[in-house]
Amino acid sequence: MSASSFAQLNAQQRRAVEHGGAAVAKGSAPLLIIAGAGSGKTNTLAHRVAHIVMCGVDPRRILLLTFSRRAAAEMTRRVQRVAARTAGTQAGALADGLTWSGTFHAIGARLLRTYADQIGLNRAFTIHDREDSADLINLIRHELGLSKTGSRFPAKHTCLAIYSRVVNAETALGEVLGSSFPWCVAFESELKHLFGAYVEAKQSQNVLDYDDLLLYWAQMMREPAIAADVASRFDHVLVDEYQDTNRLQASVLLALKPDGCGLTVVGDDAQSIYSFRSATVRNILEFPDQFSPRAEIITLDQNYRSTQPILAAANAVIGLAAERFTKNLWSERRAGERPALVTVRDEGEQARYVVEQVLANRECGNALKAQAVLFRASHHSGPLEIELTRRNIPFVKFGGLKFLEAAHVKDVLALLRFVENPRDRVAGFRILLLLPGIGPVSAARILDELSAGGPGPTPLRIATPPSRAAEDWSSLVDAIEELQHASPGWPAELERVCAWYDPHLERRHEDAVVRRADLAQLVQIASTYASRERFLTELTLDPPGATSDEAGTPHLDEDYLILSTIHSAKGQEWTSVFVLNAVDGCIPSDLATGTTAEIEEERRLLYVAMTRAKDSLHLIMPQRFYVHQQTNRGDRHLYATRTRFIPAAILNLFDGRSWPAANSTPAGAQRGPTARIDIGVRLRSMWR
């Protein structure tokens, strides 16, 4: 690449981009890029991909793994822009050649379909999202009689969470229960039986869940011949957000690049905050040893987001971590105020403080959308939401219901999935329950009749629905048979499903007009996919956001305040950031202080929250906050202390203040009016 292509890169970014030099086409030593918050990570990775391509590597032989479809699309656009400055008109073709760019799950699904015959998998498998998987587990719970045990058996979502943790963390069931689900330890043998039946049910129905996409891929890579063939497809493998990978994903990467040649991973150990999804910071911390002595580490520590006073405080917080890659973020933006450490009386005062500051910022030209309020747990924002509503300040809270979790969208996709895979019992069950006159018992009976018909297109005409469902049954059968023959073509097939579903939408939902907008959006999304199979696969793996259902009614304001959990805020930035409940019991959460690893992740959460701010950062400490107890002690208030992650030794990096300012009334003086009146007398006199 020409020197002009690197004009916008700093020295460390350029080192990372050019790693391997012109000989990068023949592979390069394993590279770990430690990219601090706001250090231009995405731009650096895009330049590296472009550099590899411009050095002669076929873009079709580059595997780029991200954690969202949006990130993959953005990376491709940036690669194209970078390449355009060097390759001119060839840039589009080069970027379009990045055909292996996507999430771990999407790439896994694609490879599983490619190698389906070799691994005993039916290529026409469908993919269950989390809710579908939980429903299938629930069906099996009932069939095994586990919902009728003497003591309360774990609910379906808890069962799925346990199963997922075992698979992704590659950890024994007993160990997972003991460390993360201690209240379920007594059910270890029943859970093992349940999970075995769950796996058999998925296989018999030809469905995979999210975890299977990684598990099958990892298992496939344990077969030397298949692993060698998959690995031979890619000269370079680049991984974004490596600190968010789990052990299963790390094992896949090791199988793809056993010696690390051509492997580039980018991440920040200080932003590893997703252990509840089985992500482990150990993957990024142990990368240098795993590929020693050839691995190279390049640190990006120049921050382009925040002022130096904010970075100094954030560096001090993370500098106390027990284990980390040493880096201190710095910025050329030297001016700015120190982060405010604000003491308030309680959560009500905290809410009023935030509102006053937000409105003051707005008067100074700082739009509401440029400001964010972050919190450790979703329920922490309750008092603030009430105050915002009372003051008529619009806000949006992240993250809410996802598109595929909205009932009407799941209904429509269930029919498409059932047509694609007639053995998908969860999809079939959902469709049948839409019909008036069909309940769970008759739905199960009908599905049993259909499964007895054997493989191939579902012989719907042989089923005997209840007489009261006859009319709707006929309409459903007509729609399915038409779709099985693919007569409308894609994406007209989805429009046919929506037309069939419309009367059910009208009957089941009062806000049908709003929900139709979601379905119209779904049809628009469908038009960007070549086939029903690709649509179902990729939409399930990376769903967009919903506009209706439990997501709430959209407001008409063009400006609104951002409310977000810290987890949902990762990767974002705002001019002004307010962090609620910077006290022990909230940050760190009192539920996450059992081990050193848990406490260290809580420290990283605070660091992530602080590094979202560009110009202004307020950490608020209510002295008294409300706690809901899941015991017979009921609800109570606790008196709080400053978070342990801001010890006295680093207080000089913060601007400590109290709000509201101390009252100027002299000690011992009477406050307020001294007159006494009897309101009761006045009220009685009204009726005399």
Side-chain angles (χ1 to χ4, degrees):
M1 295 177 69
S2 66
S4 61
S5 302
F6 297 109
Q8 61 178 300
L9 302 178
N10 63 42
Q12 292 302 98
Q13 290 173 333
R14 186 162 180 167
R15 273 189 62 208
V17 168
E18 293 183 314
H19 173 71
V24 73
K26 300 178 181 179
S28 57
L31 173 63
L32 168 60
I33 303 174
I34 299 296
S39 63
K41 168 181 69 69
T42 302
N43 189 47
T44 302
L45 188 57
H47 274 77
R48 174 144 182 83
V49 174
H51 172 72
I52 292 171
V53 172
M54 300 311 298
C55 285
V57 176
D58 185 343
R60 293 169 297 183
R61 296 186 58 78
I62 296 176
L63 174 60
L64 177 58
L65 292 163
T66 64
F67 274 79
S68 73
R69 188 176 59 195
R70 186 180 299 106
E74 173 62 19
M75 192 67 66
T76 301
R77 285 193 294 269
R78 292 202 185 197
V79 170
Q80 186 170 354
R81 287 198 297 269
V82 174
R85 292 196 291 269
T86 300
T89 57
Q90 301 177 34
L94 290 173
D96 290 342
L98 289 172
T99 55
W100 287 94
S101 174
T103 66
F104 272 93
H105 292 87
I107 297 297
R110 184 174 169 185
L111 287 171
L112 293 183
R113 294 195 195 279
T114 301
Y115 291 90
D117 292 340
Q118 289 99 309
I119 60 176
L121 191 63
N122 186 327
R123 191 184 183 283
F125 64 82
T126 50
I127 302 169
H128 275 186
D129 64 15
R130 291 294 185 194
E131 194 61 37
D132 293 326
S133 300
D135 287 343
L136 181 56
I137 278 185
N138 205 37
L139 286 173
I140 299 170
R141 283 174 74 246
H142 289 302
E143 291 174 0
L144 296 178
L146 296 175
S147 57
K148 300 177 181 178
T149 53
S151 55
R152 183 171 60 90
F153 193 76
K156 61 179 183 179
H157 288 103
T158 302
C159 292
L160 181 61
I162 295 170
Y163 171 83
S164 185
R165 181 69 64 90
V166 169
V167 169
N168 287 285
E170 295 188 321
T171 306
L173 174 59
E175 185 176 338
V176 167
L177 292 176
S179 62
S180 302
F181 303 88
W183 62 94
C184 302
V185 168
F187 295 106
E188 180 177 354
S189 61
E190 291 90 341
L191 285 167
K192 188 172 184 179
H193 187 198
L194 171 64
F195 296 153
Y198 173 58
V199 170
E200 291 179 3
K202 287 187 294 180
Q203 292 178 359
S204 68
Q205 297 177 30
N206 196 32
V207 298
L208 303 183
D209 61 22
Y210 279 165
D211 301 320
D212 286 330
L213 299 176
L214 297 180
L215 186 59
Y216 273 70
W217 187 5
Q219 290 291 330
M220 181 174 79
M221 298 299 285
R222 293 182 180 179
E223 179 60 37
I226 297 178
D229 191 64
V230 176
S232 70
R233 292 171 174 262
F234 308 113
D235 296 326
H236 283 268
V237 177
L238 300 97
V239 186
D240 194 12
E241 304 287 7
Y242 190 62
Q243 78 280 349
D244 294 334
T245 55
N246 58 42
R247 292 193 181 280
L248 203 54
Q249 291 163 325
S251 69
V252 166
L253 291 174
L254 186 60
L256 281 170
K257 294 293 178 184
D259 61 356
C261 182
L263 178 61
T264 298
V265 300
V266 185
D268 182 6
D269 56 298
Q271 297 186 69
S272 178
I273 58 174
Y274 293 114
S275 66
F276 66 93
R277 296 179 185 168
S278 300
T280 172
V281 71
R282 303 311 314 169
N283 286 346
I284 193 167
L285 290 175
E286 294 171 0
F287 184 91
D289 292 335
Q290 193 169 32
F291 296 105
S292 178
R294 299 183 64 236
E296 182 171 351
I297 305 173
I298 298 176
T299 301
L300 308 183
D301 54 9
Q302 182 175 356
N303 179 283
Y304 295 92
R305 174 187 301 155
S306 307
T307 63
Q308 188 59 41
I310 291 175
L311 294 179
N315 287 335
V317 167
I318 201 64
L320 298 172
E323 184 180 12
R324 70 184 185 109
F325 286 110
T326 302
K327 67 176 178 302
N328 284 295
L329 298 180
W330 62 275
S331 172
E332 293 179 346
R333 301 180 61 207
R334 296 291 172 178
E337 296 181 352
R338 291 177 298 172
L341 197 56
V342 186
T343 300
V344 296
R345 185 177 58 198
D346 54 29
E347 290 175 289
E349 293 283 83
Q350 176 175 247
R352 286 186 283 277
Y353 173 80
V354 169
V355 169
E356 289 203 9
Q357 293 296 318
V358 164
L359 291 177
N361 289 343
R362 184 173 177 271
E363 289 301 312
C364 293
N366 195 354
L368 293 178
K369 281 192 285 191
Q371 305 181 65
V373 183
L374 309 183
F375 31 86
R376 172 64 179 84
S378 183
H379 65 272
H380 288 173
S381 67
L384 176 61
E385 292 180 47
I386 294 171
E387 183 69 12
L388 291 170
T389 302
R390 188 181 71 82
R391 301 282 289 271
N392 198 30
I393 300 174
F395 64 90
V396 171
K397 184 176 179 180
F398 293 93
L401 194 71
K402 292 201 173 186
F403 194 80
L404 290 186
E405 294 168 354
H408 52 299
V409 176
K410 287 181 69 69
D411 291 342
V412 167
L413 293 179
L415 183 51
L416 278 180
R417 283 180 28 226
F418 189 66
V419 171
E420 184 77 11
N421 175 18
R423 291 157 60 188
D424 189 335
R425 193 174 180 89
V426 170
F429 200 77
R430 186 179 190 98
I431 295 164
L432 293 180
L433 290 182
L434 290 174
L435 306 186
I438 295 184
V441 174
S442 52
R445 177 183 55 76
I446 291 171
L447 290 173
D448 288 341
E449 291 180 20
L450 297 178
S451 62
T458 306
L460 291 166
R461 299 290 178 185
I462 69 171
T464 53
S467 58
R468 57 187 180 278
E471 183 177 349
D472 289 296
W473 175 259
S474 178
S475 173
L476 174 63
V477 171
D478 290 343
I480 290 179
E481 290 183 342
E482 186 177 342
L483 292 166
Q484 284 177 336
H485 293 94
S487 55
W490 184 257
E493 295 169 37
L494 180 55
E495 295 178 4
R496 174 69 177 90
V497 173
C498 291
W500 167 81
Y501 179 68
D502 196 66
H504 301 290
L505 175 70
E506 192 75 40
R507 174 174 51 84
R508 295 168 65 89
H509 301 290
E510 294 181 359
D511 57 343
V513 173
V514 176
R515 293 172 187 264
R516 281 196 189 94
D518 275 345
L519 298 183
Q521 181 184 2
L522 192 65
V523 172
Q524 178 62 33
I525 293 171
S527 67
T528 65
Y529 293 90
S531 67
R532 182 174 65 206
E533 175 195 284
R534 289 295 300 275
F535 171 72
L536 288 173
T537 297
E538 297 197 25
L539 189 67
T540 303
L541 293 178
D542 193 9
T547 60
S548 58
D549 212 24
E550 296 173 31
T553 304
H555 56 71
L556 301 179
D557 298 271
E558 62 179 15
D559 195 16
Y560 44 82
L561 181 67
I562 305 298
L563 274 57
S564 174
T565 62
I566 300 173
H567 284 101
S568 296
K570 185 173 172 292
Q572 305 298 314
E573 60 181 39
W574 295 275
T575 301
S576 297
V577 170
F578 302 85
V579 181
L580 302 185
N581 296 337
V583 295
D584 260 29
C586 293
I587 304 177
S589 167
D590 56 4
L591 299 178
T593 55
T595 66
T596 300
E598 289 177 330
I599 294 173
E600 289 304 311
E601 180 158 328
E602 293 291 305
R603 185 194 309 277
R604 295 193 292 268
L605 268 169
L606 179 58
Y607 174 79
V608 167
M610 295 175 67
T611 53
R612 300 311 95 197
K614 294 196 284 187
D615 299 335
S616 173
L617 174 62
H618 295 242
L619 293 90
I620 312 165
M621 304 180 299
Q623 294 176 301
R624 189 168 178 261
F625 66 94
Y626 176 82
V627 178
H628 176 71
Q629 299 291 307
Q630 294 183 336
T631 67
N632 57 9
R633 289 181 289 175
D635 299 321
R636 59 176 178 155
H637 286 80
L638 294 179
Y639 287 91
T641 58
R642 184 180 68 246
T643 173
R644 70 187 71 179
F645 303 137
I646 304 179
I650 65 173
L651 278 179
N652 63 307
L653 299 173
F654 297 83
D655 176 17
R657 64 181 72 160
S658 297
W659 190 90
N663 196 298
S664 58
T665 305
Q670 289 280 350
R671 294 187 179 184
T674 57
R676 299 186 62 178
I677 59 174
D678 191 336
I679 299 295
V681 172
R682 293 185 180 181
L683 295 180
R684 291 194 298 272
S685 67
M686 291 172 59
W687 306 101
R688 290 177 182 167

PDB file of all heavy atoms in Angstrom, residues 486-499:
ATOM      1  N   ALA A 486     -42.534 -23.678  -3.370  1.00  0.00           N
ATOM      2  CA  ALA A 486     -41.821 -22.422  -3.656  1.00  0.00           C
ATOM      3  C   ALA A 486     -42.381 -21.699  -4.861  1.00  0.00           C
ATOM      4  O   ALA A 486     -41.662 -21.014  -5.583  1.00  0.00           O
ATOM      5  CB  ALA A 486     -40.330 -22.700  -3.843  1.00  0.00           C
ATOM      6  N   SER A 487     -43.686 -21.845  -5.090  1.00  0.00           N
ATOM      7  CA  SER A 487     -44.284 -21.234  -6.277  1.00  0.00           C
ATOM      8  C   SER A 487     -44.236 -19.711  -6.284  1.00  0.00           C
ATOM      9  O   SER A 487     -44.093 -19.117  -7.355  1.00  0.00           O
ATOM     10  CB  SER A 487     -45.729 -21.724  -6.450  1.00  0.00           C
ATOM     11  OG  SER A 487     -46.482 -21.480  -5.275  1.00  0.00           O
ATOM     12  N   PRO A 488     -44.348 -19.033  -5.106  1.00  0.00           N
ATOM     13  CA  PRO A 488     -44.278 -17.574  -5.195  1.00  0.00           C
ATOM     14  C   PRO A 488     -42.874 -17.060  -5.506  1.00  0.00           C
ATOM     15  O   PRO A 488     -42.711 -15.954  -6.011  1.00  0.00           O
ATOM     16  CB  PRO A 488     -44.733 -17.104  -3.804  1.00  0.00           C
ATOM     17  CG  PRO A 488     -45.368 -18.294  -3.155  1.00  0.00           C
ATOM     18  CD  PRO A 488     -44.662 -19.473  -3.745  1.00  0.00           C
ATOM     19  N   GLY A 489     -41.836 -17.868  -5.181  1.00  0.00           N
ATOM     20  CA  GLY A 489     -40.469 -17.381  -5.311  1.00  0.00           C
ATOM     21  C   GLY A 489     -40.094 -16.529  -4.107  1.00  0.00           C
ATOM     22  O   GLY A 489     -40.938 -16.117  -3.321  1.00  0.00           O
ATOM     23  N   TRP A 490     -38.790 -16.290  -3.955  1.00  0.00           N
ATOM     24  CA  TRP A 490     -38.304 -15.513  -2.815  1.00  0.00           C
ATOM     25  C   TRP A 490     -38.029 -14.081  -3.250  1.00  0.00           C
ATOM     26  O   TRP A 490     -37.472 -13.886  -4.326  1.00  0.00           O
ATOM     27  CB  TRP A 490     -37.032 -16.154  -2.240  1.00  0.00           C
ATOM     28  CG  TRP A 490     -36.548 -15.453  -1.006  1.00  0.00           C
ATOM     29  CD1 TRP A 490     -35.507 -14.579  -0.909  1.00  0.00           C
ATOM     30  CD2 TRP A 490     -37.125 -15.555   0.290  1.00  0.00           C
ATOM     31  NE1 TRP A 490     -35.395 -14.129   0.368  1.00  0.00           N
ATOM     32  CE2 TRP A 490     -36.382 -14.703   1.138  1.00  0.00           C
ATOM     33  CE3 TRP A 490     -38.207 -16.265   0.823  1.00  0.00           C
ATOM     34  CZ2 TRP A 490     -36.670 -14.540   2.476  1.00  0.00           C
ATOM     35  CZ3 TRP A 490     -38.487 -16.108   2.148  1.00  0.00           C
ATOM     36  CH2 TRP A 490     -37.738 -15.272   2.964  1.00  0.00           C
ATOM     37  N   PRO A 491     -38.431 -13.045  -2.499  1.00  0.00           N
ATOM     38  CA  PRO A 491     -39.021 -13.066  -1.152  1.00  0.00           C
ATOM     39  C   PRO A 491     -40.550 -13.028  -1.126  1.00  0.00           C
ATOM     40  O   PRO A 491     -41.137 -12.740  -0.086  1.00  0.00           O
ATOM     41  CB  PRO A 491     -38.443 -11.795  -0.538  1.00  0.00           C
ATOM     42  CG  PRO A 491     -38.388 -10.838  -1.683  1.00  0.00           C
ATOM     43  CD  PRO A 491     -38.059 -11.657  -2.890  1.00  0.00           C
ATOM     44  N   ALA A 492     -41.191 -13.302  -2.287  1.00  0.00           N
ATOM     45  CA  ALA A 492     -42.657 -13.289  -2.310  1.00  0.00           C
ATOM     46  C   ALA A 492     -43.240 -14.333  -1.364  1.00  0.00           C
ATOM     47  O   ALA A 492     -44.384 -14.199  -0.912  1.00  0.00           O
ATOM     48  CB  ALA A 492     -43.163 -13.530  -3.735  1.00  0.00           C
ATOM     49  N   GLU A 493     -42.454 -15.365  -1.036  1.00  0.00           N
ATOM     50  CA  GLU A 493     -42.924 -16.383  -0.095  1.00  0.00           C
ATOM     51  C   GLU A 493     -43.247 -15.761   1.262  1.00  0.00           C
ATOM     52  O   GLU A 493     -44.232 -16.129   1.905  1.00  0.00           O
ATOM     53  CB  GLU A 493     -41.848 -17.468   0.082  1.00  0.00           C
ATOM     54  CG  GLU A 493     -41.577 -18.276  -1.178  1.00  0.00           C
ATOM     55  CD  GLU A 493     -40.341 -19.140  -1.016  1.00  0.00           C
ATOM     56  OE1 GLU A 493     -40.124 -19.661   0.091  1.00  0.00           O
ATOM     57  OE2 GLU A 493     -39.587 -19.284  -1.990  1.00  0.00           O
ATOM     58  N   LEU A 494     -42.406 -14.819   1.689  1.00  0.00           N
ATOM     59  CA  LEU A 494     -42.648 -14.169   2.975  1.00  0.00           C
ATOM     60  C   LEU A 494     -43.909 -13.308   2.911  1.00  0.00           C
ATOM     61  O   LEU A 494     -44.673 -13.243   3.885  1.00  0.00           O
ATOM     62  CB  LEU A 494     -41.440 -13.326   3.383  1.00  0.00           C
ATOM     63  CG  LEU A 494     -41.544 -12.591   4.715  1.00  0.00           C
ATOM     64  CD1 LEU A 494     -41.871 -13.546   5.856  1.00  0.00           C
ATOM     65  CD2 LEU A 494     -40.255 -11.833   5.028  1.00  0.00           C
ATOM     66  N   GLU A 495     -44.142 -12.650   1.799  1.00  0.00           N
ATOM     67  CA  GLU A 495     -45.367 -11.859   1.646  1.00  0.00           C
ATOM     68  C   GLU A 495     -46.591 -12.771   1.721  1.00  0.00           C
ATOM     69  O   GLU A 495     -47.627 -12.397   2.276  1.00  0.00           O
ATOM     70  CB  GLU A 495     -45.334 -11.104   0.318  1.00  0.00           C
ATOM     71  CG  GLU A 495     -44.220 -10.059   0.246  1.00  0.00           C
ATOM     72  CD  GLU A 495     -44.179  -9.362  -1.103  1.00  0.00           C
ATOM     73  OE1 GLU A 495     -45.062  -9.635  -1.940  1.00  0.00           O
ATOM     74  OE2 GLU A 495     -43.264  -8.551  -1.320  1.00  0.00           O
ATOM     75  N   ARG A 496     -46.464 -13.987   1.155  1.00  0.00           N
ATOM     76  CA  ARG A 496     -47.579 -14.957   1.223  1.00  0.00           C
ATOM     77  C   ARG A 496     -47.841 -15.356   2.671  1.00  0.00           C
ATOM     78  O   ARG A 496     -49.005 -15.480   3.091  1.00  0.00           O
ATOM     79  CB  ARG A 496     -47.215 -16.191   0.397  1.00  0.00           C
ATOM     80  CG  ARG A 496     -48.223 -17.345   0.484  1.00  0.00           C
ATOM     81  CD  ARG A 496     -49.523 -16.977  -0.194  1.00  0.00           C
ATOM     82  NE  ARG A 496     -50.464 -18.083  -0.189  1.00  0.00           N
ATOM     83  CZ  ARG A 496     -51.367 -18.321   0.767  1.00  0.00           C
ATOM     84  NH1 ARG A 496     -51.441 -17.511   1.825  1.00  0.00           N
ATOM     85  NH2 ARG A 496     -52.198 -19.335   0.676  1.00  0.00           N
ATOM     86  N   VAL A 497     -46.786 -15.562   3.457  1.00  0.00           N
ATOM     87  CA  VAL A 497     -46.937 -15.899   4.872  1.00  0.00           C
ATOM     88  C   VAL A 497     -47.619 -14.756   5.619  1.00  0.00           C
ATOM     89  O   VAL A 497     -48.525 -14.978   6.438  1.00  0.00           O
ATOM     90  CB  VAL A 497     -45.575 -16.213   5.512  1.00  0.00           C
ATOM     91  CG1 VAL A 497     -45.710 -16.397   7.028  1.00  0.00           C
ATOM     92  CG2 VAL A 497     -44.969 -17.469   4.897  1.00  0.00           C
ATOM     93  N   CYS A 498     -47.186 -13.534   5.357  1.00  0.00           N
ATOM     94  CA  CYS A 498     -47.779 -12.372   6.030  1.00  0.00           C
ATOM     95  C   CYS A 498     -49.260 -12.232   5.691  1.00  0.00           C
ATOM     96  O   CYS A 498     -50.069 -11.860   6.551  1.00  0.00           O
ATOM     97  CB  CYS A 498     -47.022 -11.102   5.651  1.00  0.00           C
ATOM     98  SG  CYS A 498     -45.346 -11.015   6.321  1.00  0.00           S
ATOM     99  N   ALA A 499     -49.610 -12.534   4.441  1.00  0.00           N
ATOM    100  CA  ALA A 499     -51.018 -12.465   4.041  1.00  0.00           C
ATOM    101  C   ALA A 499     -51.839 -13.510   4.791  1.00  0.00           C
ATOM    102  O   ALA A 499     -52.965 -13.246   5.238  1.00  0.00           O
ATOM    103  CB  ALA A 499     -51.133 -12.671   2.531  1.00  0.00           C
TER     104      ALA A 499
END
